[in-house]
Amino acid sequence: NATTEMLEEELICSICHELFKDPVVLSCSHSFCKVCLKNWWRDKLKKTCPVCQRDFPPINRALRSLAPRNLALRNLVQKYEEQREQNPPLCKLHSERLRIFCLDHEEPVCLVCRDSRTHTDHKFSPLEEAAEDLREKLRRIIRPLQDKLQVGFSQIHSDTAAHITAQARHTEAQIRDTFDKLHQFLLEEEDTRMKALREEEEQKTRRMKDKMAAVSRDMETLSKTIAETEEQLIAIDISFLLHYKSTLEMVQRCPLVEDPKMEHRALINQVKHLGNLSFHIWRAMKTVVRFYPIVLDPNRAYPGLILSEDLSSVKLEAKQWLPQNPERPTYRSVAGSKMFRSGTHSWDVEVGNNKDWDVGVSGHVQRGDKQEHGCFSVCFLDYKYTACSLADTDTALTVRKHLQRVRVKLDLDRGTLTFSDPNTNTDLHTFTDTFAGGMTPYLSTFNNIPLKILPKDVTVKV
């Protein structure tokens, strides 16, 4: 009946799905067969409850301190088994005891059922053998689910959470480093401008002091001449007349002190130091600021590819664990962070001595009434240059000089994609198609020499 079935559900181990055998109980109140719990924890670094995932310290050999025996549950299971032996379930059709198992219908039947038309030519098995076979079958089915529950979800989510934290800390460090460089530039720019101001102040102050010293000397000479002349003017006639000629010569030799006049540009040139100061500082920052027309996305990079700190270059290294987010490719490539949907866009890639590279864009093109996804690129492999397109048609390219750089020019309005050599200003190949839905730049390499997106010149204009 329903009460018996509910009781039996409470007496079944959640690991083996059979009646408890020598049950033990954890501090989280969940009980399991002793052997089942040991097998569950075998070879696992973290000991967790199979039901609620609560962590437990490492187990000892006896398992007694961590998971003591659940005597009450054991006694309840024994009483249930005794009661079940005394009152076995009966066939619903014939009210006879169920003694064998029909392998065709996969149900227990009585001996009358076996001889009925319903089970003509069917195969049967003893209940004990059938139960053991079906238990093993169920164990095999549920084992992968148990593995996913224990490892596939908790471990992946745990590792992903740790990766998110590591990403945040690394990004935080990069932001601080960038601002430290900008702060250092501003401090050096401030020192340079303050030094120029102090030099102008010292120069113009020195010039003004020299002027003041010269005027002071002339004034002193004039004052002395006036004083000596005034003495002669009050002298007796004979003395005055005797010294008249020499006094006159002295007065005539005395320099005339000009009226004080300011020189041109004698004051501090505040316009030079303050005029559009923030703009000039901003313009000077182009020496330390770099602009990359393409920025690579680490969340869209193959696990074996390593990006530079500024996300402008990529190279192949040992494969690392990364979360398998939907954007991450299974091919050894990394996508740009931006999808272009209209207009003209251009960027240069430095391939250098890399001997295995692929530079291009991926996206959708219109094919009749349908859109197809694919890639358009120029690649270098086995010392051969090839243009590869959506239709899996490769075109061999004739390149006279080993490429060091590749320029990509995408004109979505005209539907053209041109690859060229910027060093020789030579076109390599042009694709013409109906680009639809946006195109995303990408780089691919099987080599440890970086492929680099080159920065563009920064200009500040009004």
Side-chain angles (χ1 to χ4, degrees):
N1 54 28
T3 304
T4 303
E5 291 179 357
M6 292 178 59
L7 177 61
E8 185 172 351
E9 289 180 0
E10 296 297 323
L11 301 180
I12 290 178
C13 171
S14 59
I15 297 178
C16 66
H17 301 282
E18 299 179 15
L19 290 176
F20 285 108
K21 296 178 181 178
D22 195 10
V24 294
V25 61
L26 296 175
S27 58
C28 59
S29 301
H30 293 119
S31 297
F32 309 94
C33 300
K34 181 177 180 180
V35 173
C36 292
L37 186 60
K38 276 190 175 182
N39 293 336
W40 180 268
W41 278 348
R42 183 179 298 150
D43 301 327
K44 288 185 173 65
L45 297 178
K46 292 178 64 177
K47 313 303 179 184
T48 60
C49 172
V51 175
C52 67
Q53 304 300 315
R54 177 178 171 181
D55 291 337
F56 291 95
I59 61 173
N60 57 13
R61 290 188 177 181
L63 199 69
R64 293 174 181 173
S65 60
L66 185 59
R69 296 176 68 184
N70 192 337
L71 299 179
L73 182 59
R74 185 197 64 179
N75 295 336
L76 188 60
V77 170
Q78 289 179 350
K79 290 182 179 179
Y80 173 77
E81 288 179 330
E82 292 172 358
Q83 183 179 3
R84 189 171 61 177
E85 288 293 329
Q86 295 174 359
N87 301 297
L90 302 178
C91 174
K92 294 180 180 180
L93 295 177
H94 308 106
S95 299
E96 296 287 335
R97 185 172 179 177
L98 300 173
R99 296 184 179 276
I100 54 178
F101 187 80
C102 176
L103 297 177
D104 295 87
H105 285 172
E106 291 189 337
E107 63 179 4
V109 295
C110 67
L111 297 180
V112 178
C113 289
R114 179 193 62 182
D115 300 330
S116 66
R117 296 176 183 174
T118 306
H119 296 276
T120 302
D121 296 330
H122 285 188
K123 294 181 179 180
F124 299 92
S125 173
L127 293 178
E128 295 79 6
E129 294 181 6
E132 183 61 29
D133 292 342
L134 293 180
R135 283 194 181 101
E136 183 58 30
K137 179 181 178 180
L138 191 59
R139 288 192 190 101
R140 289 196 301 270
I141 295 174
I142 201 173
R143 193 170 294 123
L145 302 178
Q146 292 173 333
D147 293 339
K148 284 187 177 181
L149 176 65
Q150 182 68 11
V151 179
F153 293 113
S154 61
Q155 189 62 42
I156 289 176
H157 290 161
S158 175
D159 292 342
T160 302
H163 181 73
I164 291 172
T165 301
Q167 275 188 309
R169 298 291 80 78
H170 180 74
T171 304
E172 179 182 310
Q174 289 301 107
I175 291 173
R176 292 187 183 280
D177 181 64
T178 300
F179 273 94
D180 286 343
K181 291 178 180 178
L182 294 176
H183 291 160
Q184 183 62 32
F185 170 82
L186 291 175
L187 288 174
E188 292 175 358
E189 187 72 14
E190 179 186 5
D191 289 342
T192 300
R193 294 181 178 274
M194 294 297 287
K195 182 180 179 181
L197 174 61
R198 285 192 294 268
E199 288 178 352
E200 183 180 358
E201 178 189 13
E202 292 174 2
Q203 181 184 11
K204 293 186 173 180
T205 300
R206 189 184 315 111
R207 188 180 303 167
M208 192 56 60
K209 287 181 178 180
D210 293 343
K211 189 73 174 177
M212 291 170 59
V215 172
S216 179
R217 288 192 298 271
D218 290 344
M219 293 291 291
E220 184 179 353
T221 301
L222 178 60
S223 177
K224 183 179 179 181
T225 301
I226 292 173
E228 292 179 358
T229 303
E230 287 177 345
E231 288 181 0
Q232 291 300 321
L233 289 174
I234 63 173
I236 59 176
D237 294 343
I238 187 65
S239 177
F240 171 75
L241 294 173
L242 288 172
H243 295 90
Y244 170 74
K245 287 183 179 182
S246 60
T247 301
L248 179 61
E249 291 175 359
M250 179 183 67
V251 172
Q252 290 176 341
R253 288 197 309 269
C254 182
L256 294 177
V257 179
E258 298 178 358
D259 293 337
K261 294 181 180 180
M262 292 290 293
E263 294 181 352
H264 288 291
R265 300 182 180 85
L267 301 181
I268 294 295
N269 188 354
Q270 289 182 281
V271 173
K272 171 186 174 183
H273 300 289
L274 297 179
N276 289 319
L277 176 59
S278 57
F279 173 80
H280 291 307
I281 294 174
W282 178 38
R283 185 169 60 183
M285 289 182 71
K286 68 181 183 179
T287 59
V288 296
V289 173
R290 288 188 171 185
F291 172 76
Y292 295 96
I294 300 298
V295 177
L296 304 177
D297 188 350
N299 293 333
R300 302 176 70 184
Y302 179 77
L305 296 180
I306 303 297
L307 306 188
S308 60
E309 297 290 354
D310 59 2
L311 308 181
S312 67
S313 69
V314 60
K315 64 179 179 179
L316 183 70
E317 286 194 2
K319 190 172 182 179
Q320 58 183 330
W321 183 91
L322 289 173
Q324 290 302 310
N325 47 302
E327 305 87 357
R328 196 171 304 283
T330 55
Y331 181 71
R332 294 181 183 179
S333 65
V334 56
S337 62
K338 193 173 183 180
M339 176 182 287
F340 298 124
R341 300 183 183 276
S342 62
T344 302
H345 310 273
S346 176
W347 59 95
D348 290 356
V349 180
E350 183 180 282
V351 295
N353 294 323
N354 190 302
K355 295 180 175 57
D356 190 340
W357 53 262
D358 195 349
V359 175
V361 298
S362 65
H364 290 84
V365 294
Q366 197 71 35
R367 290 285 186 268
D369 297 332
K370 297 182 179 180
Q371 287 189 3
E372 296 182 14
H373 184 273
C375 303
F376 299 82
S377 66
V378 166
C379 62
F380 181 61
L381 181 63
D382 296 330
Y383 299 97
K384 297 178 182 179
Y385 294 95
T386 309
C388 307
S389 67
L390 177 75
D392 294 329
T393 56
D394 296 345
T395 302
L397 301 178
T398 301
V399 178
R400 296 181 179 179
K401 188 176 181 180
H402 183 68
L403 293 177
Q404 292 295 311
R405 297 182 180 183
V406 175
R407 176 166 294 167
V408 186
K409 184 178 181 181
L410 174 64
D411 190 336
L412 289 166
D413 299 330
R414 294 185 177 181
T416 59
L417 174 64
T418 301
F419 295 88
S420 61
D421 179 0
N423 291 343
T424 60
N425 198 25
T426 304
D427 286 349
L428 301 172
H429 191 79
T430 297
F431 294 100
T432 302
D433 218 313
T434 306
F435 302 118
M439 304 300 286
T440 302
Y442 78 90
L443 301 178
S444 175
T445 181
F446 290 178
N447 198 276
N448 60 2
I449 297 177
L451 300 178
K452 300 178 181 179
I453 302 293
L454 296 179
K456 287 197 171 183
D457 293 335
V458 178
T459 58
V460 180
K461 297 181 179 179
V462 178

